[in-house]
Amino acid sequence: MRLVPRLAAALSGLALALGGVVAVAPAAHATPQACFYTVLEQHPGANPEVVERACHLGAEGGPEAARACYFELRRDYVPAVVAFEACRRAAEEE
């Protein structure tokens, strides 16, 4: 019985299990609220009313809702990367 192959197999299994948890983790927090807080944490100067409206638009799901959310945030001068990430989070299901 060699310990090294067993240890390697156990560590590989653990890495795969943790990788699956990490891959699922973003969806666990994906709601209009996650969208809202993503924007306000990364761009505190954004108008909260505009952000809330945009995140609710994005929560409807689908490409058109995500586009509407994105353009609403961009109209309020939210950086493109922040707007994209926030609208993606709003569209994902809990």
Side-chain angles (χ1 to χ4, degrees):
M1 288 191 198
R2 293 178 26 171
L3 183 60
V4 174
R6 284 186 177 181
L7 184 60
L11 289 176
S12 296
L14 181 63
L16 287 173
L18 291 176
V21 170
V22 171
V24 172
H29 300 290
T31 62
Q33 290 81 19
C35 167
F36 181 81
Y37 289 117
T38 297
V39 173
L40 292 182
E41 285 174 358
Q42 296 182 22
H43 187 69
N47 181 340
E49 293 173 4
V50 172
V51 174
E52 183 178 8
R53 185 173 54 242
C55 290
H56 281 289
L57 282 171
E60 294 174 10
E64 291 181 16
R67 229 182 333 266
C69 171
Y70 176 82
F71 286 121
E72 188 75 22
L73 291 175
R74 291 294 292 142
R75 201 174 300 138
D76 194 40
Y77 303 106
V78 173
V81 173
V82 175
F84 177 78
E85 177 64 24
C87 292
R88 185 186 64 78
R89 286 184 174 209
E92 292 178 351
E93 294 183 23
E94 288 185 75

PDB file of all heavy atoms in Angstrom, residues 17-37:
ATOM      1  N   ALA A  17     -14.214  18.851  -5.202  1.00  0.00           N
ATOM      2  CA  ALA A  17     -15.375  19.187  -4.377  1.00  0.00           C
ATOM      3  C   ALA A  17     -15.400  20.675  -4.055  1.00  0.00           C
ATOM      4  O   ALA A  17     -16.433  21.325  -4.150  1.00  0.00           O
ATOM      5  CB  ALA A  17     -15.358  18.367  -3.094  1.00  0.00           C
ATOM      6  N   LEU A  18     -14.268  21.225  -3.675  1.00  0.00           N
ATOM      7  CA  LEU A  18     -14.206  22.660  -3.375  1.00  0.00           C
ATOM      8  C   LEU A  18     -14.429  23.498  -4.621  1.00  0.00           C
ATOM      9  O   LEU A  18     -15.037  24.562  -4.563  1.00  0.00           O
ATOM     10  CB  LEU A  18     -12.876  23.004  -2.721  1.00  0.00           C
ATOM     11  CG  LEU A  18     -12.689  22.460  -1.310  1.00  0.00           C
ATOM     12  CD1 LEU A  18     -11.295  22.790  -0.802  1.00  0.00           C
ATOM     13  CD2 LEU A  18     -13.747  22.982  -0.373  1.00  0.00           C
ATOM     14  N   GLY A  19     -13.943  23.035  -5.751  1.00  0.00           N
ATOM     15  CA  GLY A  19     -14.169  23.758  -7.007  1.00  0.00           C
ATOM     16  C   GLY A  19     -15.641  23.835  -7.342  1.00  0.00           C
ATOM     17  O   GLY A  19     -16.141  24.844  -7.820  1.00  0.00           O
ATOM     18  N   GLY A  20     -16.375  22.765  -7.077  1.00  0.00           N
ATOM     19  CA  GLY A  20     -17.814  22.760  -7.305  1.00  0.00           C
ATOM     20  C   GLY A  20     -18.524  23.733  -6.391  1.00  0.00           C
ATOM     21  O   GLY A  20     -19.452  24.417  -6.796  1.00  0.00           O
ATOM     22  N   VAL A  21     -18.071  23.840  -5.152  1.00  0.00           N
ATOM     23  CA  VAL A  21     -18.667  24.782  -4.211  1.00  0.00           C
ATOM     24  C   VAL A  21     -18.416  26.207  -4.673  1.00  0.00           C
ATOM     25  O   VAL A  21     -19.301  27.050  -4.629  1.00  0.00           O
ATOM     26  CB  VAL A  21     -18.086  24.563  -2.798  1.00  0.00           C
ATOM     27  CG1 VAL A  21     -18.513  25.674  -1.865  1.00  0.00           C
ATOM     28  CG2 VAL A  21     -18.540  23.218  -2.259  1.00  0.00           C
ATOM     29  N   VAL A  22     -17.230  26.496  -5.139  1.00  0.00           N
ATOM     30  CA  VAL A  22     -16.903  27.836  -5.612  1.00  0.00           C
ATOM     31  C   VAL A  22     -17.704  28.180  -6.854  1.00  0.00           C
ATOM     32  O   VAL A  22     -18.170  29.296  -7.012  1.00  0.00           O
ATOM     33  CB  VAL A  22     -15.381  27.960  -5.877  1.00  0.00           C
ATOM     34  CG1 VAL A  22     -15.057  29.255  -6.577  1.00  0.00           C
ATOM     35  CG2 VAL A  22     -14.617  27.839  -4.579  1.00  0.00           C
ATOM     36  N   ALA A  23     -17.911  27.219  -7.730  1.00  0.00           N
ATOM     37  CA  ALA A  23     -18.663  27.472  -8.951  1.00  0.00           C
ATOM     38  C   ALA A  23     -20.128  27.753  -8.654  1.00  0.00           C
ATOM     39  O   ALA A  23     -20.778  28.515  -9.352  1.00  0.00           O
ATOM     40  CB  ALA A  23     -18.543  26.283  -9.905  1.00  0.00           C
ATOM     41  N   VAL A  24     -20.665  27.169  -7.598  1.00  0.00           N
ATOM     42  CA  VAL A  24     -22.065  27.369  -7.241  1.00  0.00           C
ATOM     43  C   VAL A  24     -22.240  28.614  -6.381  1.00  0.00           C
ATOM     44  O   VAL A  24     -23.293  29.227  -6.391  1.00  0.00           O
ATOM     45  CB  VAL A  24     -22.593  26.123  -6.494  1.00  0.00           C
ATOM     46  CG1 VAL A  24     -23.974  26.352  -5.934  1.00  0.00           C
ATOM     47  CG2 VAL A  24     -22.610  24.934  -7.430  1.00  0.00           C
ATOM     48  N   ALA A  25     -21.234  29.038  -5.683  1.00  0.00           N
ATOM     49  CA  ALA A  25     -21.353  30.133  -4.732  1.00  0.00           C
ATOM     50  C   ALA A  25     -21.892  31.433  -5.315  1.00  0.00           C
ATOM     51  O   ALA A  25     -22.747  32.048  -4.696  1.00  0.00           O
ATOM     52  CB  ALA A  25     -20.004  30.371  -4.054  1.00  0.00           C
ATOM     53  N   PRO A  26     -21.458  31.916  -6.479  1.00  0.00           N
ATOM     54  CA  PRO A  26     -22.003  33.184  -6.955  1.00  0.00           C
ATOM     55  C   PRO A  26     -23.510  33.157  -7.164  1.00  0.00           C
ATOM     56  O   PRO A  26     -24.183  34.130  -6.907  1.00  0.00           O
ATOM     57  CB  PRO A  26     -21.281  33.410  -8.281  1.00  0.00           C
ATOM     58  CG  PRO A  26     -20.043  32.629  -8.174  1.00  0.00           C
ATOM     59  CD  PRO A  26     -20.389  31.446  -7.328  1.00  0.00           C
ATOM     60  N   ALA A  27     -24.059  32.054  -7.585  1.00  0.00           N
ATOM     61  CA  ALA A  27     -25.497  31.969  -7.820  1.00  0.00           C
ATOM     62  C   ALA A  27     -26.279  32.023  -6.519  1.00  0.00           C
ATOM     63  O   ALA A  27     -27.437  32.418  -6.510  1.00  0.00           O
ATOM     64  CB  ALA A  27     -25.822  30.699  -8.584  1.00  0.00           C
ATOM     65  N   ALA A  28     -25.668  31.645  -5.415  1.00  0.00           N
ATOM     66  CA  ALA A  28     -26.376  31.657  -4.147  1.00  0.00           C
ATOM     67  C   ALA A  28     -26.710  33.071  -3.697  1.00  0.00           C
ATOM     68  O   ALA A  28     -27.641  33.277  -2.930  1.00  0.00           O
ATOM     69  CB  ALA A  28     -25.535  30.951  -3.087  1.00  0.00           C
ATOM     70  N   HIS A  29     -25.976  34.065  -4.152  1.00  0.00           N
ATOM     71  CA  HIS A  29     -26.199  35.444  -3.739  1.00  0.00           C
ATOM     72  C   HIS A  29     -26.744  36.304  -4.866  1.00  0.00           C
ATOM     73  O   HIS A  29     -26.727  37.518  -4.775  1.00  0.00           O
ATOM     74  CB  HIS A  29     -24.893  36.044  -3.231  1.00  0.00           C
ATOM     75  CG  HIS A  29     -24.340  35.317  -2.064  1.00  0.00           C
ATOM     76  ND1 HIS A  29     -24.922  35.336  -0.826  1.00  0.00           N
ATOM     77  CD2 HIS A  29     -23.261  34.514  -1.947  1.00  0.00           C
ATOM     78  CE1 HIS A  29     -24.227  34.598   0.004  1.00  0.00           C
ATOM     79  NE2 HIS A  29     -23.214  34.089  -0.644  1.00  0.00           N
ATOM     80  N   ALA A  30     -27.219  35.705  -5.917  1.00  0.00           N
ATOM     81  CA  ALA A  30     -27.651  36.458  -7.090  1.00  0.00           C
ATOM     82  C   ALA A  30     -29.112  36.852  -6.964  1.00  0.00           C
ATOM     83  O   ALA A  30     -29.999  36.036  -7.090  1.00  0.00           O
ATOM     84  CB  ALA A  30     -27.420  35.637  -8.339  1.00  0.00           C
ATOM     85  N   THR A  31     -29.345  38.102  -6.675  1.00  0.00           N
ATOM     86  CA  THR A  31     -30.684  38.665  -6.558  1.00  0.00           C
ATOM     87  C   THR A  31     -30.607  40.132  -6.951  1.00  0.00           C
ATOM     88  O   THR A  31     -29.512  40.671  -7.125  1.00  0.00           O
ATOM     89  CB  THR A  31     -31.186  38.579  -5.109  1.00  0.00           C
ATOM     90  OG1 THR A  31     -30.312  39.358  -4.284  1.00  0.00           O
ATOM     91  CG2 THR A  31     -31.238  37.150  -4.598  1.00  0.00           C
ATOM     92  N   PRO A  32     -31.743  40.795  -7.070  1.00  0.00           N
ATOM     93  CA  PRO A  32     -31.674  42.238  -7.304  1.00  0.00           C
ATOM     94  C   PRO A  32     -30.901  42.956  -6.195  1.00  0.00           C
ATOM     95  O   PRO A  32     -30.220  43.943  -6.447  1.00  0.00           O
ATOM     96  CB  PRO A  32     -33.140  42.670  -7.333  1.00  0.00           C
ATOM     97  CG  PRO A  32     -33.876  41.461  -7.763  1.00  0.00           C
ATOM     98  CD  PRO A  32     -33.114  40.302  -7.166  1.00  0.00           C
ATOM     99  N   GLN A  33     -30.980  42.422  -4.966  1.00  0.00           N
ATOM    100  CA  GLN A  33     -30.235  43.044  -3.870  1.00  0.00           C
ATOM    101  C   GLN A  33     -28.735  42.892  -4.071  1.00  0.00           C
ATOM    102  O   GLN A  33     -27.973  43.814  -3.787  1.00  0.00           O
ATOM    103  CB  GLN A  33     -30.650  42.435  -2.520  1.00  0.00           C
ATOM    104  CG  GLN A  33     -32.042  42.792  -2.086  1.00  0.00           C
ATOM    105  CD  GLN A  33     -33.111  41.933  -2.742  1.00  0.00           C
ATOM    106  OE1 GLN A  33     -32.833  40.858  -3.260  1.00  0.00           O
ATOM    107  NE2 GLN A  33     -34.341  42.403  -2.726  1.00  0.00           N
ATOM    108  N   ALA A  34     -28.307  41.729  -4.563  1.00  0.00           N
ATOM    109  CA  ALA A  34     -26.882  41.525  -4.829  1.00  0.00           C
ATOM    110  C   ALA A  34     -26.418  42.492  -5.909  1.00  0.00           C
ATOM    111  O   ALA A  34     -25.322  43.045  -5.830  1.00  0.00           O
ATOM    112  CB  ALA A  34     -26.614  40.085  -5.241  1.00  0.00           C
ATOM    113  N   CYS A  35     -27.251  42.689  -6.907  1.00  0.00           N
ATOM    114  CA  CYS A  35     -26.947  43.652  -7.970  1.00  0.00           C
ATOM    115  C   CYS A  35     -26.792  45.043  -7.368  1.00  0.00           C
ATOM    116  O   CYS A  35     -25.818  45.753  -7.624  1.00  0.00           O
ATOM    117  CB  CYS A  35     -28.076  43.623  -9.004  1.00  0.00           C
ATOM    118  SG  CYS A  35     -28.079  44.984 -10.198  1.00  0.00           S
ATOM    119  N   PHE A  36     -27.754  45.425  -6.555  1.00  0.00           N
ATOM    120  CA  PHE A  36     -27.775  46.745  -5.937  1.00  0.00           C
ATOM    121  C   PHE A  36     -26.509  46.990  -5.119  1.00  0.00           C
ATOM    122  O   PHE A  36     -25.832  48.007  -5.280  1.00  0.00           O
ATOM    123  CB  PHE A  36     -29.024  46.837  -5.048  1.00  0.00           C
ATOM    124  CG  PHE A  36     -29.207  48.159  -4.359  1.00  0.00           C
ATOM    125  CD1 PHE A  36     -29.758  49.230  -5.029  1.00  0.00           C
ATOM    126  CD2 PHE A  36     -28.844  48.321  -3.036  1.00  0.00           C
ATOM    127  CE1 PHE A  36     -29.942  50.444  -4.396  1.00  0.00           C
ATOM    128  CE2 PHE A  36     -29.029  49.528  -2.390  1.00  0.00           C
ATOM    129  CZ  PHE A  36     -29.579  50.600  -3.070  1.00  0.00           C
ATOM    130  N   TYR A  37     -26.168  46.039  -4.259  1.00  0.00           N
ATOM    131  CA  TYR A  37     -24.999  46.219  -3.408  1.00  0.00           C
ATOM    132  C   TYR A  37     -23.689  46.128  -4.192  1.00  0.00           C
ATOM    133  O   TYR A  37     -22.713  46.793  -3.832  1.00  0.00           O
ATOM    134  CB  TYR A  37     -25.015  45.227  -2.242  1.00  0.00           C
ATOM    135  CG  TYR A  37     -26.099  45.580  -1.254  1.00  0.00           C
ATOM    136  CD1 TYR A  37     -27.156  44.715  -1.021  1.00  0.00           C
ATOM    137  CD2 TYR A  37     -26.094  46.801  -0.593  1.00  0.00           C
ATOM    138  CE1 TYR A  37     -28.159  45.052  -0.135  1.00  0.00           C
ATOM    139  CE2 TYR A  37     -27.098  47.143   0.294  1.00  0.00           C
ATOM    140  CZ  TYR A  37     -28.129  46.266   0.519  1.00  0.00           C
ATOM    141  OH  TYR A  37     -29.126  46.604   1.404  1.00  0.00           O
TER     142      TYR A  37
END
